[in-house]
Amino acid sequence: MRTRRNRHTALGLVLALFLTLLTCAARADDAPPPTPGAPPAPVPALARTWPVGSHPVVLRGWEPPATLYARGHRGVDLATPVGAQVRAVAAGRVSFAGRVAGRGVVAVELAGTDLRTTYEPVTATVKKGDEVEAGSVVGTVELTGSHCATSCVHWGLLRGETYLDPLALLPPWLLNRGPSRLLPVLGAPL
C-alpha cells in the first residue's frame, strides 16, 4: 500500500514538474513585458514626406499623457486648408478608413514595424487593406468643427496602444529643412 502511495506521489510530482516546464517554455516565446520606467523602443525615422504640405506649421505638439486616460495631446496638429491632400508618410497597409465620432479617420500600419499612423479629420480616398507608398494620397482634409483655431490635420503615431510623437518618424533632413537658398555664382560678389 505504501509503495503505491509513493508511486502516486512521485507521479504527481513529475506531472507538476512537467506542467511547470511546459508553462515556462511557452512564456519564453513571448516578448518580456516592458519594465516600468524603462525607455520605450526608439521610433525609426522612416518617413519620407510630411502628411500635408512640405513643412506645415505645427499648431500643437505632442504632449504625452501621464497615464493611459490622462490629459495630453496624443499627436500633433498640422495647419492645412480644408480640401488639402493628406499623404502617407511611409509605406504600409491601410488598417482603417472610416468614421469615428463623426470624423473621418485613416490609419496606416507602417511596413516592417509595429507602428501605425493616424490622420484625422480626413475624407478617405483609400480603403482597409490598401497598400500605400510614402507620399500616396490617403484622403483630403474635411471641414469639421476642429479643435484647432484654423483648419488642421491631427497626425498620430501608436505602437500597440501606446501613443508616440509622430515627429520622431521624420528624419532630420525632413524635419529641419528650411527654404531653398541660392548660392552665389563663383566670382560673383556676395
Side-chain angles (χ1 to χ4, degrees), residues 33-106:
T35 306
V43 173
L46 52 85
R48 296 295 167 249
T49 183
W50 283 84
V52 292
S54 60
H55 196 289
V57 173
V58 176
L59 298 173
R60 184 173 177 194
W62 183 65
E63 300 164 17
T67 62
L68 185 60
Y69 298 106
R71 292 181 72 157
H73 192 238
R74 293 160 172 84
V76 295
D77 292 335
L78 306 174
T80 188
V82 171
Q85 292 181 331
V86 178
R87 300 178 181 279
V89 297
R93 180 185 305 264
V94 176
S95 59
F96 181 84
R99 305 206 63 79
V100 175
R103 302 179 113 173
V105 177
V106 174

Side-chain angles (χ1 to χ4, degrees), residues 140-165:
T140 56
V141 180
E142 289 182 344
L143 174 61
T144 63
S146 178
H147 62 281
C148 298
T150 63
S151 174
C152 71
V153 165
H154 179 85
W155 176 30
L157 175 66
L158 294 105
R159 174 178 281 130
E161 298 302 316
T162 303
Y163 289 90
L164 304 168
D165 183 0

